[in-house]
Amino acid sequence: MNKSVILALGLVLSGMFVSAQTLDKQAPQGFDVENAAISHGKIDTIQYPSKTVGTTRKALIYTPPGFKKREKYPVLYLLHGIGGDEKEWFRNGTPQIILDNLYAKGKLTPMIVVLPNGRAMKDDRATGDIMAKDKVEAFATFEKDLLNDLIPFIEKRYPVKKDRNDRAIAGLSMGGGQTLNFGLGNIERFAWVGAFSAAPNTKEPQLLLPDPSKAKELKLLWISCGDQDRLMPFSKRTSDYLTENKIPHIFYIEPGGHDFKVWKNDLYLFSQLLFKPVKQEEVNLILKSE
Ligand code: FER
């Protein structure tokens, strides 16, 4: 359980390079257990008009404990996998519990989390052949829906900060591929990028980032994958390219396969880094402590 894993820290936002570190522990026991004694955020379903798809689409939104309309919050867009929809994280990853617990410990910058449906097509349910060509293509179409429909809707309806430094994108598997494709393809829109177990939809490195130096504008570029996940090559080739081009990033290899145990741990670790000055010592502390 607590066996050490290698944290290839190809990062470093301060400019220095650390090749490998030992990560002794992961999220502590109880990190995903509901605690009635603390304040809770709120999960709602929202509906937004999509010009891209031509329908009204659903997303979930999590507002943090103590949320106030008068304040302005940064936003994390958190994306699901090929078998899921806007409810996948909520049902299987309980982000609201993980984040509530982190807020109770004072470990998060207050943020709004938006959980979209990343399959941008009229019937966007995860039914039938989820690998069908049109369904897989809809994960690419979601880039337009996100940038032109969903983000403007959120920014109109919710008290959010609109600067790229206050906008993060992360996701698991297909959503991890989307995160890299959309995040690195639109660095002027996102400063925080977290790809968990990125799937084969991840563009090849040279297409993903033809001008590697552009990625230096990111505040945080996180790539993680379970050591037993057969999709590892998609994370590894991306991290290798970044390392070859001296682009600071975190490449976090953790014990596990392609499942929510890994993704919950990723959310626990990644969320604590968001919307804060990124200091190397802090990254080390979060990744090594507990
Ligand atoms: C594939 C293998 C896995 C693929 C997608 C996935 C589109 C996605 C997995 C997930 O989202 O969990 O060949 O092709």
Side-chain angles (χ1 to χ4, degrees), residues 189-229:
R189 306 292 295 272
F190 302 97
W192 310 79
V193 172
F196 311 158
S197 318
N201 63 328
T202 308
K203 289 182 184 169
E204 287 186 24
Q206 288 79 1
L207 289 175
L208 193 58
L209 203 55
D211 174 10
S213 66
K214 189 92 173 94
K216 295 194 172 139
E217 292 166 28
L218 293 170
K219 295 271 187 197
L220 179 65
L221 176 48
W222 163 291
I223 296 171
S224 55
C225 195
D227 60 0
Q228 303 300 313
D229 190 333

Side-chain angles (χ1 to χ4, degrees), residues 81-83 131 136 172-175 199-201 230-231 258 263:
I82 201 155
M131 292 286 196
V136 170
L172 70 90
S173 201
M174 281 299 270
N201 63 328
R230 67 183 179 84
L231 299 185
H258 197 72
W263 303 323

